[in-house]
Structures are given as C-alpha cells and as structure tokens.
C-alpha cells in the first residue's frame, strides 16, 4: 500500500524530509512523467531535499510506523 501521488508546493519551494525512526520499509518515490524517477529508502536521521513540485508518494511500512519530519522553504 502507498499514499496517493501528490505535489506539496509549486516550483519555488523545496522540501526536506528527515526519517526519524529505524524502519526498513516505507520508501519515498519521486515521479517524473508518471514513472518512478528515484526511490529514497528510509534510514534513521537520513535527510533528503527536493523541489516541492515533484510528484511523490510513499509506501506504508510493513511493520511499525513511518516517522518523518518535513520542512518546506524557499
């Protein structure tokens, strides 16, 4: 199962996601032309940054919770 593919902002805003807990599933997927462009696998305290106008979604973890911090800035 995964979240609905979505965009958080327009192209002038950036997103930072920080994975806060230890999980082995619950990747974030960035899409380009409706195809997976990049899979970001979770690792505790890993941070990733991308433009807010990227369509993306995430997998729900198979076990436990997916805990992240999300920051938006321009």
């Amino acid at each position: 199962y995964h979240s609905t593919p979505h965009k958080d902002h327009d192209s002038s805003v950036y997103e930072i996601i920080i994975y806060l807990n230890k999980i082995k599933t619950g990747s974030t997927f960035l899409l380009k032309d409706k195809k997976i462009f990049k899979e970001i696998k979770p690792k505790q305290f890993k941070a990733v940054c991308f433009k807010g106008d990227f369509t993306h979604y995430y997998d729900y973890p198979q076990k436990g919770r997916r805990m992240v911090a999300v920051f938006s800035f321009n």
Side-chain angles (χ1 to χ4, degrees):
Y1 296 100
H2 60 77
S3 68
T4 302
H6 62 282
K7 293 180 182 182
D8 290 337
H9 299 284
D10 63 29
S11 63
S12 67
V13 177
Y14 289 85
E15 298 280 330
I16 292 178
I17 298 175
I18 302 171
Y19 298 92
L20 299 176
N21 61 332
K22 292 180 183 180
I23 56 172
K24 297 188 185 223
T25 59
S27 292
T28 301
F29 296 89
L30 302 181
L31 304 177
K32 189 183 276 188
D33 299 323
K34 299 183 181 181
K35 295 182 182 177
I36 294 173
F37 166 69
K38 178 92 175 165
E39 177 182 2
I40 303 161
K41 295 183 180 185
K43 182 177 179 185
Q44 189 174 28
F45 305 127
K46 179 180 190 175
V48 295
C49 182
F50 56 90
K51 291 188 93 172
D53 66 344
F54 261 105
T55 301
H56 61 282
Y57 68 90
Y58 59 89
D59 279 344
Y60 295 111
Q62 294 172 356
K63 192 176 190 182
R65 292 182 156 190
R66 178 182 187 268
M67 296 172 55
V68 298
V70 179
F71 300 90
S72 301
F73 67 95
N74 56 357

